[in-house]
Every structure is written in structure tokens, then in C-alpha cells.
Amino acid sequence: VNKTSEKFKSVGVGYQIFVASYRDSNGDGLGDLRGVIDSLDELKELGVKALWLTPVQESESYHAYDTVDYFSIDKRFGTETEYRELMYKAHERGMVVLMDLVLNHTSLNNVWFKKSQAAAVETDANGNEINYRNLYHWKFKGDLVKKYKNGTWVDVPVEEHGDWYRDGESLYYYYGKFG
């Protein structure tokens, strides 16, 4: 068990907030970080000790689970300053904040996916090779993949499997199951 797990083992009452539908502070029809900040006293009164927030990083979907940029707050939800304020004010009230950080899929416009499409290979600051193609699952037209059919697993060509998507006009397919 790592130290983070120990810290949250007995934290108390948790409350998950789907930010987009929680509390709209500016009247645009979408929940936001300011709405969460404005609710902290009410949440504390309910005995909440841990807030679990759905993703607030830059995204192209309403649910924000397909991240474009992990290093920026989506403008629909607020600003980095508001994010920092939320952290500070939650901690001030004795609450911890858990962020739903989605690493198992990204937006097609995420820089990692774009580099994977291009089969880019780079070297990081420590001299380690990063093969972006390995960050996603890719197959060539005709490659076989497993599909559950009629109660058993069978091999089918990648282009016949609904969870594999053709990459533009190329003959490559990427795995894109969202679930």
C-alpha cells in the first residue's frame, strides 16, 4: 500500500461531484469550479471530508473524460486560479480533494495522440526514448483482433470490430473503446 492510499484509507465521508452538472455560478448552464467553491460550507455541514471531482482539464466533451491537455483547466469550468482557490479553501475546511485523472484514453486532439498518429519517437530530458506509437493500440488493416461473438472469443479483422477506428484515409486503426 502506497502512502497516498494510507492517507485516504479513513478520511471519512466522500462526495463525488460531476462538475459540469453540479452548480452553475455564472448562468451559462454548465456547472463550474466557482460553484463548487461556493458550496464548500454546505458540503462541510453535511460532514463531507473528501471531494471527488470529475475531470476539469481541457476537453472537447461535456463530461471531460477525453482530455486534450492535462496541464490546463477547461475554460468552461473556470481558471487555474479558481482551481487553486478550491484546493486552498477545501483544505482550509479540513477536506481533501481527489481528482479524476483519466490516463487510459485521451482526445484525438491530445498532443500524445497526434504524436502517436505520426509514429513520433523522442528523447526526454533524461535521455529515455519515448515511442508515442506505444501509448495507444494500433493495428494495420487485416490484422486480427479478439471479438466476443456467440458466447466465445473469435479472431476477426480489425476493420470488422466496432471498437477499432480507422485513422483517416490511412490503413491503420486505433483502439477507441470508451468504457
Side-chain angles (χ1 to χ4, degrees):
V1 176
N2 64 40
K3 291 179 184 176
T4 302
S5 295
E6 281 297 317
K7 180 178 180 181
F8 294 110
K9 206 173 197 179
S10 61
V11 73
V13 174
Y15 190 85
Q16 183 181 13
I17 294 177
F18 182 68
V19 178
S21 67
Y22 181 66
R23 187 172 183 178
D24 177 11
S25 72
N26 59 8
D28 68 356
L30 194 67
D32 48 47
L33 293 172
R34 176 62 51 204
V36 177
I37 294 167
D38 293 346
S39 300
L40 288 174
D41 287 334
E42 296 164 27
L43 293 165
K44 183 177 179 179
E45 286 179 31
L46 291 172
V48 172
K49 297 287 187 184
L51 295 176
W52 174 11
L53 302 183
T54 56
V56 294
Q57 291 81 16
E58 184 183 342
S59 174
E60 299 165 323
S61 66
Y62 77 95
H63 51 65
Y65 277 90
D66 57 344
T67 305
V68 172
D69 182 359
Y70 289 99
F71 300 100
S72 66
I73 300 298
D74 194 314
K75 291 174 182 59
R76 297 173 302 165
F77 300 128
T79 65
E80 186 174 335
T81 300
E82 288 172 314
Y83 177 76
R84 290 175 186 271
E85 180 183 351
L86 170 60
M87 295 302 118
Y88 177 80
K89 289 186 173 181
H91 292 166
E92 208 175 40
R93 289 163 176 77
M95 296 177 186
V96 296
V97 180
L98 303 167
M99 294 302 307
D100 203 339
L101 179 63
V102 184
L103 296 174
N104 61 325
H105 51 263
T106 65
S107 163
L108 299 180
N109 289 311
N110 181 289
V111 67
W112 299 338
F113 186 80
K114 293 288 189 188
K115 289 181 178 185
S116 184
Q117 278 180 305
V121 178
E122 297 178 357
T123 304
D124 70 13
N126 297 318
N128 300 306
E129 182 179 281
I130 304 169
N131 183 339
Y132 286 92
R133 196 65 164 194
N134 293 336
L135 298 182
Y136 298 84
H137 296 288
W138 291 92
K139 296 286 185 187
F140 193 77
K141 182 178 179 177
D143 286 348
L144 297 178
V145 294
K146 297 285 185 195
K147 182 174 185 175
Y148 197 69
K149 197 173 184 178
N150 299 325
T152 187
W153 288 99
V154 295
D155 289 326
V156 297
V158 67
E159 60 271 20
E160 294 177 17
H161 195 294
D163 294 334
W164 289 85
Y165 297 88
R166 188 170 178 183
D167 185 31
E169 296 300 314
S170 78
L171 297 178
Y172 284 96
Y173 289 75
Y174 61 88
Y175 185 69
K177 184 172 177 80
F178 189 84

